[in-house]
Amino acid sequence: MTNAQIIEGVARSIYGDDAVDSMIRSGIEIPLHTVKGWNERGSYKVRKGEHGIETRLWKKKAAKDADDEGIDQEFYLAKAFLFTSKQVEKAD
């Protein structure tokens, strides 16, 4: 499962299947991202008092964390928090 599929699943629980299907059909990006994801789309900050939706997303393992036995596990599931567009605002 990819990060996009994980986020889509979380979005379905928030917005509902019909809304998410409509966004996908229309080519509209699902408005649900980590803080880093929002900042890749501009300068955003989480509104005071808001709490993200906890999930696990794939994260690239740092080279120093590579397995010593020669098996390089490049990605791992890490705790992440997703925020809707109503939970963030443009930073000043």
Side-chain angles (χ1 to χ4, degrees):
M1 188 173 262
T2 66
N3 282 346
Q5 291 169 323
I6 294 168
I7 292 169
E8 180 184 326
V10 174
R12 289 180 182 284
S13 69
I14 296 169
Y15 301 112
D17 289 335
D18 291 340
V20 172
D21 288 340
S22 178
M23 284 182 230
I24 292 169
R25 274 194 309 274
S26 301
I28 298 170
E29 183 177 60
I30 296 170
L32 186 64
H33 308 286
T34 62
V35 171
K36 181 181 176 186
W38 280 110
N39 283 318
E40 289 170 354
R41 290 155 179 81
S43 183
Y44 286 90
K45 65 180 182 178
V46 176
R47 293 180 189 271
K48 187 175 182 174
E50 293 291 344
H51 299 281
I53 301 141
E54 186 176 329
T55 190
R56 298 217 177 265
L57 297 176
W58 291 105
K59 185 173 182 178
K60 190 168 187 168
K61 185 180 271 193
K64 65 179 179 169
D65 295 334
D67 189 282
D68 291 336
E69 296 179 17
I71 301 171
D72 189 356
Q73 303 274 333
E74 291 188 32
F75 292 89
Y76 64 100
L77 284 171
K79 185 188 294 188
F81 294 91
L82 299 172
F83 297 89
T84 68
S85 58
K86 293 182 180 182
Q87 293 179 290
V88 296
E89 60 190 10
K90 283 281 196 179
D92 297 329

